[in-house]
């Protein structure tokens, strides 16, 4: 996976918006960003997607002949193949169970359209309450249950149309549900999240997200657990992370699941060598991933077979 220097053309194309970001105070940037999002709702979806892409990269995506990783994510968002069986955190367990052993599936304590009555929330502590139809929206219940707070947060999560907000339309095919799972960690801290990026059935790199609750850090590794020298996202760096136990098994699980798609991100947890599959992702950061160097956008795009053979809609 070679790292190439960004071209002068790419640097110049990013100047207008990047310059504004440098000179404007944060409160003005936030106000403009909010106004931008509200204005986008006046446009057709394809135009919205292109404008949001332009805001991030100061260039429009090539949706006829996508070459970069983000362009291919963008096309996948617009075409919206039927990804519901894979991104629905409840239904995805059935698919994952057809690919790997059930021992790698996080147990379900409860799933349903709404929270059950308070008297029926007798799940063993600690546990996690989440919704099945988007990113985030996790509530970590460690030592006691605040029912009013739980009900308030879940009502907000269930009312949020994640697919509409991110223009990842395929999420809108997921019927919203509440999902309760055990808190799979041997401490009070969140388990480390090993996000395995699989292209054409082969693990290319692992995105390790740690300290996600308070001081989110991110580091990237290749399949030999050698730290990679590119970055994406704005999270703080981390170094000196030991190779996880049963690492070869993690690779096997990720590639077994990933063999069904041209690209998929398989999120794994490794709890002292016991491996669990968290969820699957197809358009990370809604197709707006910021790489450093940005040339990695093209390098990763080359690894994604296109049209993706898993989705006939793209042909």
């Amino acid at each position: 996976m070679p790292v190439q220097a960004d071209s002068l053309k790419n640097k110049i194309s990013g100047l207008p918006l990047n310059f504004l970001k440098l000179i404007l105070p944060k409160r003005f940037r936030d106000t403009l960003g909010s106004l931008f999002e509200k204005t986008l709702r006046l446009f057709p979806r394809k135009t919205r997607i292109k404008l949001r892409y332009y805001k991030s990269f100061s260039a429009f995506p090539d949706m006829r002949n996508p070459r970069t990783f983000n362009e291919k994510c963008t096309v996948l968002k617009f075409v919206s193949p039927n990804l519901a069986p894979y991104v629905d955190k409840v239904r995805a367990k059935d698919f994952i169970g057809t690919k790997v052993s059930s021992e790698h599936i996080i147990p379900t304590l409860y799933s349903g359209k709404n929270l059950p009555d308070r008297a029926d929330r007798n799940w063993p502590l600690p546990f996690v309450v989440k919704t099945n139809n988007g990113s985030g929206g996790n509530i970590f219940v460690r030592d006691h249950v605040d029912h009013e707070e739980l009900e308030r947060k879940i009502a907000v999560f269930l009312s949020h149309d994640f697919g509409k907000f991110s223009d990842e339309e395929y999420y809108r095919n997921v019927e919203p549900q509440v999902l309760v799972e055990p808190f799979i960690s041997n401490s009070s801290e969140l388990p480390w999240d090993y996000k395995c990026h699989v292209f054409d059935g082969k693990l290319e790199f692992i995105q390790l997200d740690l300290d996600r609750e308070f001081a989110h850090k991110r580091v990237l590794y290749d399949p030999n657990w050698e730290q990679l020298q590119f970055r994406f996202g704005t999270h703080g760096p981390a170094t000196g992370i030991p190779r996880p136990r049963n690492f070869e098994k993690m690779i096997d699980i990720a590639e077994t699941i990933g063999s069904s798609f041209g690209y998929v991100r398989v999120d794994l947890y490794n709890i002292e060598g016991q491996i669990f599959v968290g969820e699957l992702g197809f358009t990370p950061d809604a197709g707006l991933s910021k790489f450093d160097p940005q040339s990695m956008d093209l390098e990763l795009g080359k690894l994604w077979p296109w049209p993706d053979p898993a989705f006939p809609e793209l042909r």
Side-chain angles (χ1 to χ4, degrees), residues 222-293:
D222 70 11
N224 295 315
W225 202 250
E226 296 290 336
Q227 187 169 340
L228 294 168
Q229 298 307 308
F230 75 93
R231 296 177 62 191
F232 71 94
T234 58
H235 307 294
T239 58
I241 305 299
R243 181 188 180 104
R245 288 172 56 184
N246 293 336
F247 181 56
E248 291 76 14
K249 183 63 176 177
M250 293 176 67
I251 294 176
D252 180 63
I253 290 172
E255 292 186 339
T256 298
I257 295 172
S259 64
S260 298
F261 310 99
Y263 165 78
V264 65
R265 192 196 69 211
V266 182
D267 297 357
L268 301 179
Y269 301 108
N270 189 322
I271 312 300
E272 295 186 357
Q274 187 174 6
I275 303 163
F276 296 99
V277 182
E279 60 184 273
L280 308 180
F282 294 87
T283 53
D285 298 332
L288 302 172
S289 298
K290 294 292 187 67
F291 293 96
D292 182 15

Side-chain angles (χ1 to χ4, degrees), residues 297-309:
D297 197 2
L298 178 59
E299 295 302 321
L300 294 177
K302 292 176 182 178
L303 300 175
W304 188 341
W306 200 264
D308 191 317

Side-chain angles (χ1 to χ4, degrees), residues 177-198:
Q177 289 192 63
V178 177
L179 173 63
V180 183
E181 296 174 333
F183 186 75
I184 54 165
S185 176
N186 290 334
S187 71
S188 62
E189 297 180 359
L190 302 188
W192 290 0
D193 194 352
Y194 298 84
K195 298 180 181 294
C196 301
H197 295 257
V198 183

